[in-house]
Amino acid sequence: MSDHDQMIEETYEYFGLDSDVPDDAKRIVLLLKSMGVDHWEPRVINQLLEFMHKYVSDVLVESQEYSSHAERGEITPDDVKLAIDSRLSSTTQTPTRREMIKLATKKNQQRLTHLSSPFPGVVLPNSDSCLTKLNYQVKSFQDFE
């Protein structure tokens, strides 16, 4: 076992990570802890793992497309860099504070529609149009016999 592997194992033991936890999940836990996050729901690890795997696989697929376009058999680091750069440039940029204030001021100048409902709260459409409508039927055991 190399010094690096031993250091990783000692870190896992320090944070109480079991040996049956996948390495990727352990590293996400270490990343969260290094950012000062001490408590999270267990599903957060799975969500971050899913996001990480999807992002990496999408970048590699795009890298493969760049490599095949250049008529190369293998993906080069430049292909990966280009795929990452194209993903970063295609994401939307967060508006500045000044732009957000301008948009909020414009939106807040619009009058709200008056709701003529005798009941307080949000008026929902009829139950056929709601997403809360039941979309299943419960069958009894006799139906399966």
Side-chain angles (χ1 to χ4, degrees), residues 19-144:
S19 60
D20 60 341
V21 175
D23 283 341
D24 290 342
K26 289 177 183 177
R27 292 176 193 231
I28 286 180
V29 168
L30 293 177
L31 178 67
L32 288 171
K33 294 218 180 246
S34 72
M35 296 174 67
V37 179
D38 293 324
H39 304 289
W40 57 81
E41 289 188 30
R43 293 180 294 177
V44 168
I45 304 297
N46 293 335
Q47 290 171 340
L48 290 173
L49 277 171
E50 185 177 333
F51 172 78
M52 180 185 70
H53 284 286
K54 179 167 178 21
Y55 181 81
V56 169
S57 63
D58 289 349
V59 165
L60 289 176
V61 165
E62 197 167 332
S63 301
Q64 179 65 45
E65 291 172 5
Y66 291 138
S67 176
S68 65
H69 178 73
E71 298 177 353
R72 287 191 302 268
E74 294 181 357
I75 297 174
T76 64
D78 289 335
D79 295 328
V80 176
K81 288 177 187 176
L82 183 60
I84 291 171
D85 288 344
S86 70
R87 287 193 154 273
L88 291 177
S89 67
S90 68
T91 59
T92 58
Q93 297 294 324
T94 305
T96 63
R97 181 170 166 34
R98 179 170 286 148
E99 291 170 344
M100 289 299 291
I101 290 172
K102 189 189 303 183
L103 289 170
T105 303
K106 183 178 177 182
K107 189 67 171 177
N108 288 337
Q109 288 175 348
Q110 297 175 2
R111 295 188 56 79
L112 296 175
T113 57
H114 179 68
L115 299 176
S116 58
S117 173
F119 305 106
V122 178
V123 179
L124 295 175
N126 62 21
S127 62
D128 291 338
S129 302
C130 289
L131 293 175
T132 57
K133 178 182 175 187
L134 292 179
N135 59 356
Y136 62 90
Q137 295 176 349
V138 178
K139 293 185 176 184
S140 68
F141 286 116
Q142 293 145 356
D143 294 337
F144 293 108

